[in-house]
Amino acid sequence: MHTDWKTPYQFAIREQNPAKLEDLYEQARHAIHNRVLELEENVADVRESGELDEALRRLTIHKYSRIPVH
């Protein structure tokens, strides 16, 4: 099975509402993690592994750039 990680990632990265971002972030992070595990079990696609690393990095930056500072 091939986990679709790009769709939840794209929803999360496009979200501007901080109230919705946490749930979308968790869905995307979970999908990315599942895909990483799939690649570890099979012959790893180096390009996709790099895409997953970059997606997780951008997702984290996006999440924390939307949190209001008090």
Side-chain angles (χ1 to χ4, degrees):
M1 183 174 160
H2 181 276
T3 299
D4 174 23
W5 62 271
K6 290 183 181 181
T7 301
Y9 166 75
Q10 289 170 350
F11 280 127
I13 208 74
R14 291 180 182 149
E15 184 57 58
Q16 297 298 313
N17 182 344
K20 294 180 180 180
L21 185 57
E22 184 65 33
D23 186 48
L24 293 174
Y25 169 82
E26 285 302 320
Q27 291 175 27
R29 189 193 59 73
H30 184 72
I32 291 169
H33 178 71
N34 284 344
R35 185 61 183 145
V36 167
L37 292 176
E38 287 175 2
L39 288 176
E40 286 177 355
E41 292 176 1
N42 300 314
V43 175
D45 179 339
V46 174
R47 187 185 60 141
E48 186 175 6
S49 293
E51 288 175 358
L52 290 163
D53 289 342
E54 181 66 13
L56 193 53
R57 185 186 72 77
R58 287 181 183 208
L59 189 63
T60 302
I61 290 169
H62 179 71
K63 177 185 176 184
Y64 289 107
S65 69
R66 301 292 181 252
I67 295 174
V69 178
H70 298 295

